[in-house]
Every structure is written in C-alpha cells, then in structure tokens.
C-alpha cells in the first residue's frame, strides 16, 4: 500500500513540473517554442512578410549592449552575432529578425546547448529534444511558401 501511494505521489509531482520540451505550432505563422528553465525561446516564420524572428525572453531584464550573440555548442557549434536586436517587455525580451535563419535553425537542430549573450549576461538554453521540433518547423515554413 505504501509503495502504491509513493508511486502515485511521484506521478503527481512529475506531472506538475513545467514542460521543458520544444514544440512546433503550425498556423498562418509557424512557431517553434521552448519554455525552458532559463528562458522562453520563440522562433517564428511569417510568409506574409518572408521574415524569421527569434525572441529570447527572461525573467530579469537584459543589460544593454551593442552586440547580441547566440553561441551553439555541440557537434556543429557556431556563434552568430548581430547588432540588430530589439529589446521589449521592459528589457526582458530580445528579438532579432531576418529574411534567412539557416544558421539559427542549424544551431538549434544539431547542437546540445544554445547560449544567448548580451553585455555581461549569458543565458544557456538546453537543446534536448529540439531537433524533431526544428524539422517540423522547417516543414511548416516550407509548406507556407509552397
């Protein structure tokens, strides 16, 4: 009886924890979402304006800085930098837009971690489980362009 009760409590506790998975949400705009431990990451593709965007939102505001970077660590590691980031939501959200996102999508799909960097702040994001969601996102974007 005690073992069953312990198992039931374990199932309830595990069910109550937030999902840290990557997921794709198809629609008029394709979305790739990850509500992670350190940050909320959202990648979108809007075919109406042929534009990709990545948003990295954290609880604490980002510091100011001229260069925003995403470093991808893993088998196909790379670092991407830009000075075209936009802060919003009282500095808690950074967004970068571009007409092509091949390097970003490759970084998310083929590596283990992504680290968002601005000023003296670095925010690591786990890429566990990202690959299938990125593949679905690519298919969604390709389907909207067809």
């Amino acid at each position: 009886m005690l073992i069953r009760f312990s198992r039931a409590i374990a199932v309830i506790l595990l069910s109550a924890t937030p999902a840290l998975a990557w997921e794709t949400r198809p629609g008029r705009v394709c979305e790739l979402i990850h509500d992670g431990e350190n940050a909320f990451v959202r990648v979108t593709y809007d075919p109406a304006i042929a534009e990709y965007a990545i948003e990295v939102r954290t609880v604490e505001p980002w510091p100011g800085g001229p260069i925003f970077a995403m470093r991808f660590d893993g088998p196909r590691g790379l670092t991407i930098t830009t000075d075209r980031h936009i802060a919003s939501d009282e500095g808690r959200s950074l967004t970068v837009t571009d007409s092509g996102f091949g390097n970003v999508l490759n970084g998310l799909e083929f590596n283990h971690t992504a680290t968002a960097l601005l000023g003296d702040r670095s925010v690591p994001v786990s890429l566990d489980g990202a690959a299938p969601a990125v593949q679905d996102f690519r298919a969604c974007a390709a389907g909207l362009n067809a």
Side-chain angles (χ1 to χ4, degrees):
M1 179 75 158
L2 184 57
I3 292 173
R4 283 189 205 156
F5 180 73
S6 296
R7 285 183 186 156
I9 293 295
V11 167
I12 290 170
L13 289 175
L14 290 173
S15 299
T17 59
L20 300 177
W22 288 83
E23 71 175 275
T24 301
R25 296 179 184 168
R28 186 190 65 73
V29 172
C30 297
E31 292 183 289
L32 175 64
I33 304 284
H34 176 67
D35 195 0
E37 189 175 326
N38 301 313
F40 172 83
V41 178
R42 182 175 144 206
V43 179
T44 58
Y45 175 69
D46 185 344
I49 56 175
E51 185 174 79
Y52 290 87
I54 185 167
E55 171 192 8
V56 182
R57 188 173 357 127
T58 58
V59 174
E60 296 296 320
W62 288 93
I67 303 294
F68 173 69
M70 291 283 297
R71 184 184 70 227
F72 299 99
D73 296 305
R76 291 178 56 181
L78 73 145
T79 300
I80 304 165
T81 62
T82 185
D83 62 356
R84 297 183 348 202
H85 56 286
I86 298 170
S88 62
D89 191 22
E90 298 178 357
R92 290 186 293 268
S93 183
L94 289 178
T95 303
V96 176
T97 60
D98 203 338
S99 60
F101 252 43
N103 284 335
V104 172
L105 296 176
N106 287 343
L108 295 171
E109 184 174 357
F110 300 116
N111 292 291
H112 304 299
T113 59
T115 304
L117 304 151
L118 182 64
D120 62 355
R121 184 153 182 222
S122 62
V123 177
V125 175
S126 172
L127 300 179
D128 288 343
V134 172
Q135 292 165 7
D136 290 345
F137 178 84
R138 289 180 196 265
C140 177
L144 293 178
N145 282 328

